[in-house]
Amino acid sequence: MLATTRIRRWKPVALATAAVLAGLAAPALTATPAAATTTAYDTTYYKNAIGKTGTSLKSSLHTIISSQTKISYSAVWNALKATDQDPNNSSNVILLYSGVSRSKTLNGGDVGDWNREHTWAKSHGDFGEATGPGTDLHHLRPADVQVNSIRGNLDFDNGGGTVNNGGGSLVDSDSFEPRDADKGDVARMILYMAVRYEGGDGWADLEPNERVNNGSNPYIGKLSVLKQWSDEDPPSAFEEKRNQVIYDTYQHNRNPFIDHPEWVEAIW
């Protein structure tokens, strides 16, 4: 296994000073872009993306991550038992949204079980559970059956009432807000999907936007909120290990926004 080395690169003082002066004349940003990183994959896996920004970066990353092994929807069950294993209890998985550690054997559709949550909701692009976006592990996570049902196909935004047994997650009529510890995870999964599925391989062109109530359109909002979440909740050791397991064992592609969080701002 090739380990990922994360090195923060601080910007030159002059640039930082200019940013401060500009801030005196303009409203503060909702989130500060993540500091640049380097990884062990920059000279190999990401070599054609390094140094690029905007649409050029997005296009290069799409080409890179589209080379992947696809698995069946039934195979997702066992894959999630490995990708989301509780680091403190190998018999359990950690559930998205609630943060609960639950037995791997309790996978199913009944109350008390965990099931396969499509973070990019299946109806937002009409891909269902078909091999491809419907089985892509980079946005599939184990979640409590009832919490998963409450999230449904709602877009992501701030605000709402408390989700029962949701670990601090909130919900209202048109959006879902994950607990703080999962906000960055959700954002980076959504943005991975937007880069991976560009409409050229028989699936819809998935894109984030500034709306909620996107319904069956191939969009999920809100982009500004997702960017803020990604910056405020940087990749955790759990998320980085998950990315590595998917790369090494299952799909052999990576979520670039876990390796390079600063690429969120570089593209959007």
Side-chain angles (χ1 to χ4, degrees):
M1 180 184 296
L2 182 60
T4 299
T5 302
R6 307 186 63 80
I7 304 173
R8 294 291 179 186
R9 300 291 190 192
W10 296 105
K11 299 179 181 179
V13 173
L15 182 58
T17 302
V20 171
L21 293 175
L24 296 176
L29 296 174
T30 55
T32 303
T37 62
T38 60
T39 80
Y41 293 96
D42 290 356
T43 58
T44 53
Y45 188 74
Y46 292 124
K47 65 181 180 179
N48 292 329
I50 298 300
K52 297 180 180 179
T53 61
T55 56
S56 178
L57 175 58
K58 188 181 181 189
S59 178
S60 292
L61 290 176
H62 169 72
T63 300
I64 292 167
I65 67 178
S66 292
S67 178
Q68 71 181 94
T69 299
K70 299 174 183 178
I71 68 174
S72 69
Y73 196 52
S74 61
V76 168
W77 285 122
N78 283 333
L80 293 181
K81 293 175 184 179
T83 60
D84 291 74
Q85 178 174 291
D86 183 344
N88 298 314
N89 185 345
S90 62
S91 296
N92 288 10
V93 291
I94 300 293
L95 305 187
L96 185 67
Y97 305 140
S98 65
V100 168
S101 177
R102 186 166 295 171
S103 173
K104 292 178 178 178
T105 63
L106 293 175
N107 61 297
D110 297 327
V111 174
D113 287 343
W114 60 268
N115 58 7
R116 298 160 290 186
E117 157 70 336
H118 291 75
T119 309
W120 189 292
K122 293 180 286 186
S123 63
H124 290 240
D126 193 29
F127 52 74
E129 298 167 355
T131 301
T135 66
D136 196 315
L137 291 170
H138 282 298
H139 85 119
L140 283 161
R141 298 286 289 267
D144 176 80
V145 167
Q146 290 177 294
V147 174
N148 192 357
S149 178
I150 291 170
R151 187 267 157 142
N153 69 346
L154 294 172
D155 292 86
F156 293 105
D157 197 3
N158 291 315
T162 301
V163 174
N164 189 36
N165 297 319
S169 299
L170 306 175
V171 68
D172 58 25
S173 62
D174 57 20
S175 69
F176 188 91
E177 177 183 345
R179 69 187 184 116
D180 288 347
D182 285 335
K183 285 179 176 176
D185 302 53
V186 166
R188 287 180 285 274
M189 287 188 283
I190 292 297
L191 298 177
Y192 162 87
M193 293 292 283
V195 171
R196 171 59 185 88
Y197 299 98
E198 294 277 41
D201 52 1
W203 305 107
D205 181 3
L206 307 182
E207 292 295 338
N209 65 8
E210 278 301 307
R211 294 185 53 194
V212 291
N213 278 328
N214 276 298
S216 61
N217 296 309
Y219 311 119
I220 280 185
K222 290 182 175 179
L223 176 58
S224 60
V225 172
L226 294 170
K227 287 173 62 179
Q228 181 176 2
W229 289 354
S230 180
D231 194 76
E232 292 178 348
D233 175 32
S236 64
F238 181 87
E239 195 178 356
E240 290 172 345
K241 183 178 180 180
R242 186 176 198 278
N243 195 28
Q244 194 68 43
V245 172
I246 293 173
Y247 178 74
D248 288 337
T249 307
Y250 296 100
Q251 295 184 181
H252 311 297
N253 72 340
R254 303 182 68 82
N255 182 333
F257 304 112
I258 296 174
D259 293 324
H260 282 278
E262 75 277 12
W263 281 348
V264 172
E265 185 67 27
I267 294 175
W268 287 283

